[in-house]
Amino acid sequence: MEKPRQGLAGLCNISFGFFGIQIGFALQNANMSRIFQSLGEDIEKLPGLWIAAPLTGLLVQPIIGHLSDRTWIGRLGRRRPYFLAGAILAALALFVMPESPAIWFAAMMLWILDASLNISMEPFRAFVGDMLRKDQHSVGYAVQTAFIGAGAVVGSLFPALMESMGISNVAPPGQIPDTVRYAFWFGGLALFLAVLWTIVSTSEYTPSQMAAFEPANANDAPTARALAARSHVASVGWIAAGLAAILIQIEFALLREVQLLGALLIGYGVACMVAVTLARRGSETNMLSSIVGDFAGMPPLMKRLAAVQFFSWSALFIMWINTTPIVAQYHFGTTDAASAAYQAAGNWVGELFAIYNGVAAIAALTLLPWLSHRLGQARTHMVGLACGAVGYASFFMLRDPTQLIFSEIFIGIFWASVLAMPYAILASSLPQAKLGIYMGLFNIFVVIPQLLVATVMGSIMQALFPGEPIYTMAFAALALMMAFIAMARIDTVPIAQ
């Protein structure tokens, strides 16, 4: 039995909520460094404050993926309860964030905001697979990418729009400009309404319908059984690696965020040890063993795509953290976060981010399908990765702020590709019953590189290029070259027209 084909309206309704979610992410990505520096934080400490974003994603996404596979709440269904809960919490966080009285409060609100956005976002990835036939996965993720791009354009332009309306874009030292405050408030309302539209305009397939669409496969049995056969050697290895990271931080006086990296490695090792022990005792339904078992038993294609994601998102997180201080220092000639020039740079970065997201929205519906028909999904993504590397490298050559538009065009093509191609390649190869958990685990390779950047990049820059954030773009370009090489190991055929 086949799922019915979705028309254009159905495709749009399924992903429209992502328009609002991405408004929230865009406001966060373009403005959090600005908020932290406006509250008085040093540039070298920004990666440590940004650690909230990847850490919450690392913890939240697998859990939400696991739970959403097993949820059915009356008329709300399987994924939509998480859309609603996350949207409410994220909207509240966006309303409170610009009222932060101090850096610690802003960092705490970033944790809450990112966790809430992840609660809504993770099930949206699986929602496309739930609602669409396999031959519509590519167009489904392309439409989702278009909404992501459109939402990011709106979120990125909010502060500049507020300034054009006569709202003050500067504030006394230690305070956040009104342009940013109002942008976050309007963004919170837009986020909630967009997610609510998807909730009321879609109706999920019932568990019995899903079972009819895709009968259970013997290979989909709980992976906790396979986990019981594993030894504790790997767990001990993770713990040893974490202890080594902590000792290196102490020995070389690196930034304290490296200790958090070590603690996470130790925590994962302990979690693996506990999961194996529970599985050996015959507990196959506990969440920890299920998540660890599914992570250890990822399909080979997923493992190869995970390497590509790791390098791709390392580059993206470097860009989100550093673009504002780079543009302020090298294109507007200031490092003073309280100056009008710095705030003007912050608004220009918002417009640049809007440009790359606008390019992504257009490329997702035009360039990527055209390339996929001729090159296949894998080689299309290689083109996107190469465009990203060119975009980041060009920051070294362009000094006129307006010329950075060319950089953002290349980055926009890369952004469209990274949001659509890996998920389109992966979705058709995963069992429907585990789509949520596997999408959650796949997104671990979105957040782990961000976590590494947040914990390690500050120490690297402090040691090699203190006060020179432009060199982070070299690391970003190199990361995308590594992603390009990793993508070459994956092959897909062109899509028949």
Side-chain angles (χ1 to χ4, degrees):
M1 182 176 176
E2 282 271 24
K3 297 175 186 176
R5 289 187 67 85
Q6 293 282 350
L8 179 60
L11 291 170
C12 291
N13 289 338
I14 287 168
S15 290
F16 188 73
F18 231 128
F19 171 76
I21 292 171
Q22 200 60 34
I23 288 176
F25 274 120
L27 287 167
Q28 171 184 297
N29 293 339
N31 293 283
M32 283 314 303
S33 288
R34 179 182 185 178
I35 288 173
F36 288 140
Q37 288 195 286
S38 294
L39 293 173
E41 190 55 279
D42 296 330
I43 187 172
E44 287 81 7
K45 296 181 180 179
L46 290 181
L49 293 170
W50 272 85
I51 204 169
L55 184 57
T56 51
L58 181 66
L59 298 175
V60 168
Q61 292 198 25
I63 293 173
I64 295 300
H66 173 86
L67 293 175
S68 70
D69 280 341
R70 292 159 172 77
T71 294
W72 188 264
I73 301 178
R75 295 178 64 182
L76 270 179
R78 187 184 193 190
R79 314 291 183 188
R80 292 179 298 166
Y82 299 94
F83 299 167
L84 181 61
I88 292 172
L89 292 172
L92 291 174
L94 285 167
F95 275 96
V96 175
M97 176 71 77
E99 298 301 310
S100 299
I103 293 170
W104 69 266
F105 189 90
M108 180 183 69
M109 292 310 303
L110 177 58
W111 280 73
I112 295 172
L113 174 60
D114 204 85
S116 304
L117 291 171
N118 275 285
I119 289 171
S120 279
M121 182 194 73
E122 197 286 328
F124 259 103
R125 292 295 191 190
F127 195 49
V128 173
D130 289 346
M131 300 298 293
L132 299 182
R133 299 154 48 120
K134 290 185 177 181
D135 61 357
Q136 285 195 295
H137 282 170
S138 291
V139 68
Y141 285 109
V143 170
Q144 189 173 90
T145 298
F147 278 121
I148 290 172
V153 169
V154 173
S156 298
L157 287 178
F158 260 138
L161 178 62
M162 297 295 103
E163 185 182 22
S164 70
M165 295 170 62
I167 297 171
S168 175
N169 192 48
V170 295
Q175 296 185 27
I176 298 167
D178 285 345
T179 50
V180 176
R181 292 171 62 237
Y182 295 161
F184 271 62
W185 294 345
F186 283 113
L189 179 62
L191 183 154
F192 178 75
L193 292 176
V195 173
L196 189 63
W197 177 265
T198 286
I199 292 171
V200 301
S201 66
T202 58
S203 179
E204 294 188 71
Y205 297 119
T206 65
S208 60
Q209 287 175 311
M210 295 297 289
F213 292 142
E214 184 173 338
N217 190 305
N219 293 328
D220 299 341
T223 51
R225 299 175 188 174
L227 189 66
R230 295 171 64 91
S231 71
H232 290 303
V233 173
S235 302
V236 173
W238 287 110
I239 294 171
L243 291 172
I246 292 173
L247 291 174
I248 290 171
Q249 186 276 330
I250 295 172
E251 177 66 24
F252 295 99
L254 302 177
L255 294 180
R256 285 184 298 175
E257 287 80 10
V258 178
Q259 289 192 11
L260 178 58
L261 175 61
L264 288 170
L265 293 173
I266 293 171
Y268 179 70
V270 171
C272 288
M273 194 172 290
V274 172
V276 170
T277 301
L278 290 173
R280 288 178 178 178
R281 292 177 180 175
S283 177
E284 298 179 355
T285 58
N286 70 86
M287 182 167 62
L288 180 61
S289 293
S290 294
I291 291 175
V292 172
D294 285 327
F295 185 75
M298 288 188 300
L301 175 63
M302 186 172 167
K303 292 179 181 178
R304 293 183 179 183
L305 282 170
V308 179
Q309 292 290 84
F310 176 87
F311 291 114
S312 300
W313 285 87
S314 295
L316 285 164
F317 202 58
I318 288 170
M319 175 186 71
W320 290 331
I321 293 176
N322 294 288
T323 300
T324 295
I326 287 171
V327 172
Q329 181 173 344
Y330 293 93
H331 301 87
F332 283 77
T334 183
T335 57
D336 180 6
S339 67
Y342 183 93
Q343 298 303 333
N347 276 5
W348 180 237
V349 169
E351 294 181 50
L352 291 174
F353 281 17
I355 290 169
Y356 88 71
N357 280 291
V359 170
I362 296 169
L365 297 178
T366 56
L367 179 63
L368 295 187
W370 183 81
L371 288 175
S372 293
H373 283 309
R374 288 152 180 79
L375 304 178
Q377 293 168 330
R379 283 172 174 74
T380 295
H381 193 38
M382 291 175 70
V383 172
L385 294 168
C387 286
V390 171
Y392 291 134
S394 66
F395 270 75
F396 285 89
M397 298 174 284
L398 304 176
R399 286 294 185 234
D400 183 341
T402 59
Q403 292 176 344
L404 293 177
I405 293 173
F406 296 103
S407 305
E408 300 304 320
I409 291 173
F410 285 101
I411 292 171
I413 295 171
F414 158 59
W415 180 230
S417 187
V418 81
L419 289 175
M421 290 297 103
Y423 294 97
I425 294 169
L426 188 64
S428 299
S429 69
L430 295 177
Q432 187 69 56
K434 289 190 174 184
L435 195 55
I437 180 59
Y438 274 135
M439 285 295 182
L441 291 173
F442 189 56
N443 283 331
I444 285 179
F445 298 97
V446 169
V447 298
I448 284 180
Q450 297 178 48
L451 187 59
L452 285 174
V453 170
T455 55
V456 175
M457 183 58 70
S459 294
I460 293 174
M461 293 303 297
Q462 192 175 59
L464 300 179
F465 308 107
E468 298 287 343
I470 187 70
Y471 288 99
T472 59
M473 287 300 182
F475 286 96
L478 179 61
L480 289 190
M481 291 173 63
M482 298 299 294
F484 182 92
I485 294 170
M487 196 67 205
R489 299 178 60 230
I490 299 171
D491 188 34
T492 58
V493 298
I495 301 170
Q497 298 192 55

